[in-house]
Amino acid sequence: MTGAIWNLLLGLAWVLLSGDFSGLNLLVGMIFGYIALVLIEPQVASLKGYPVRVPRIIGFLCFFIKELIQANLRVAFDVLTPPWHMQPGVIAMPLSARTEMEITMVANLISLTPGTLSLDVSDDRKVLYIHAMFLDDEDELRRNLKNMERRALELFR
């Protein structure tokens, strides 16, 4: 968290010193700030691990946007074509997430993806119940959701 704050401050300093108050200039400033933080990370203990997290976050965002677009297209196709292909159902997915924050993030990511909805978490917090609009291949759906969970959990570890 400290690294993100320093990166934002360095980006804002870049904007103030350059005099160009645009979003693109802020992005350039944050990139230069990130490079500076990568260079000083070995000397500053509070920045430990920050340079590794940023590429993970960017990679996850690209992955999630791709999944979001694919799910939207599948749902839109099913809604717009007369013979519906949906086979709704509920599955139980074992969780690798353990903390409340991890479970909440995974459940919200699943609910944000069209065609799936997180319903409940078991009392022992080891199973997430999910309603799926397309349950034609349960194993493939479970693999895709576990892949999303694995990628999301990599952001915390």
Side-chain angles (χ1 to χ4, degrees):
M1 185 66 162
T2 304
I5 293 170
W6 276 108
N7 200 354
L8 181 61
L9 289 174
L10 289 170
L12 290 173
W14 174 269
V15 167
L16 290 173
L17 292 172
S18 69
D20 180 10
F21 298 94
S22 66
L24 183 60
N25 195 37
L26 176 63
L27 179 65
V28 169
M30 290 187 69
I31 290 171
F32 285 140
Y34 174 74
I35 293 169
L37 292 174
V38 167
L39 294 174
I40 68 167
E41 187 240 351
Q43 287 83 26
V44 182
S46 63
L47 294 176
K48 184 102 173 113
Y50 177 70
V52 177
R53 267 187 234 117
V54 172
R56 281 187 197 162
I57 291 170
I58 292 170
F60 180 78
L61 286 175
C62 291
F63 162 78
F64 187 70
I65 289 170
K66 178 187 71 96
E67 292 292 318
L68 200 61
I69 290 170
Q70 286 177 343
N72 273 303
L73 290 174
R74 185 169 185 190
V75 170
F77 176 78
D78 194 53
V79 168
L80 295 174
T81 55
W84 286 0
H85 304 287
M86 69 173 98
Q87 297 176 346
V90 176
I91 63 167
M93 184 180 85
L95 285 170
S96 300
R98 292 293 167 234
T99 67
E100 292 291 327
M101 186 172 76
E102 290 174 346
I103 293 170
T104 302
M105 183 174 174
V106 169
N108 284 331
L109 287 170
I110 289 171
S111 292
L112 282 172
T113 308
T116 55
L117 178 67
S118 301
L119 298 175
D120 196 15
V121 179
S122 64
D123 291 336
D124 61 358
R125 297 181 349 197
K126 293 185 178 183
V127 177
L128 179 64
Y129 297 100
I130 302 163
H131 178 273
M133 196 169 150
F134 303 100
L135 199 58
D136 43 343
D137 189 357
E138 187 175 332
D139 292 330
E140 181 184 351
L141 176 65
R142 193 173 276 120
R143 268 193 312 274
N144 290 340
L145 293 174
K146 287 300 283 183
N147 183 35
M148 185 183 294
E149 177 190 27
R150 180 187 55 78
R151 287 175 173 257
L153 293 179
E154 284 176 359
L155 299 176
F156 294 107
R157 296 174 181 157

